[in-house]
Amino acid sequence: MKTAIFMGIIFYSLTILIHLLIISGIIPFTWVNGGRSESFATQLPLSLISTVISIIGGVFTLIVGRNILNKYKRGITIICWFFVVLWSFGFIQQLFGTPFEKMVCSFILFLGVISNLRMAIEKNAVTIK
C-alpha cells in the first residue's frame, strides 16, 4: 500500500508539473490535447482544470495513505475504482496523441492507473475482511 501511495503522489506531482509547464509556456500547448488546441487560450482552461483535478487526486491519495477516513472504506474503494477507469481512459487517449503524449504522458498516466488500481484492491480487501 505504501508503494501505491508513493506512486500516486509521484503521478499527481508529475501531472501538476506538466500542466504548470504548459501554463508557463515552457511546454508548447501543441504537444498536448492531441495537438487539437487552436491557441493557448483554448488550452489554458483545460490545463487549469487538469491541475485542480490532480490536486484533488493528490489530496485524496494522501488521505487514503494516512487512513484518515478509515470508516468510509467502501466509498474510498469506489472513488479509487473511478480514478482507475478515468486514468485508463486517459491512457488510451494518450496513445493516439502527439509524440510527447505517447512517450511522456502515457507513461505518467500508466503510473496513475497502477497506483489507483492497487489502492482500490487494497481498500476493497480491507473492506471485505
Side-chain angles (χ1 to χ4, degrees):
M1 187 66 164
K2 289 181 183 181
T3 304
I5 299 298
F6 180 71
M7 286 172 48
I9 296 303
I10 296 293
F11 162 68
Y12 288 112
S13 298
L14 289 174
T15 303
I16 292 168
L17 176 66
I18 285 177
H19 285 289
L20 290 177
L21 291 173
I22 293 166
I23 291 168
S24 67
I26 295 172
I27 295 178
F29 68 89
T30 56
W31 287 11
V32 294
N33 195 24
R36 294 178 301 216
S37 294
E38 298 173 6
S39 67
F40 180 75
T42 58
Q43 179 60 41
L44 184 61
L46 297 173
S47 289
L48 290 174
I49 290 169
S50 295
T51 302
V52 169
I53 290 170
S54 296
I55 291 169
I56 292 168
V59 169
F60 174 75
T61 301
L62 288 173
I63 289 171
V64 170
R66 297 277 184 183
N67 288 324
I68 294 172
L69 301 175
N70 209 20
K71 65 181 182 176
Y72 300 108
K73 291 177 190 172
R74 184 167 307 282
I76 290 172
T77 301
I78 290 169
I79 293 169
C80 286
W81 280 112
F82 170 76
F83 278 130
V84 169
V85 171
L86 181 68
W87 301 141
S88 296
F89 181 68
F91 175 74
I92 293 167
Q93 285 183 317
Q94 297 302 319
L95 295 177
F96 293 107
T98 64
F100 176 75
E101 290 174 320
K102 289 176 187 175
M103 299 295 289
V104 177
C105 298
S106 63
F107 172 74
I108 294 171
L109 265 168
F110 186 69
L111 187 68
V113 170
I114 297 299
S115 67
N116 280 285
L117 179 63
R118 183 64 194 148
M119 286 189 290
I121 291 170
E122 185 73 23
K123 282 297 175 185
N124 193 31
V126 172
T127 303
I128 292 172
K129 288 183 181 178

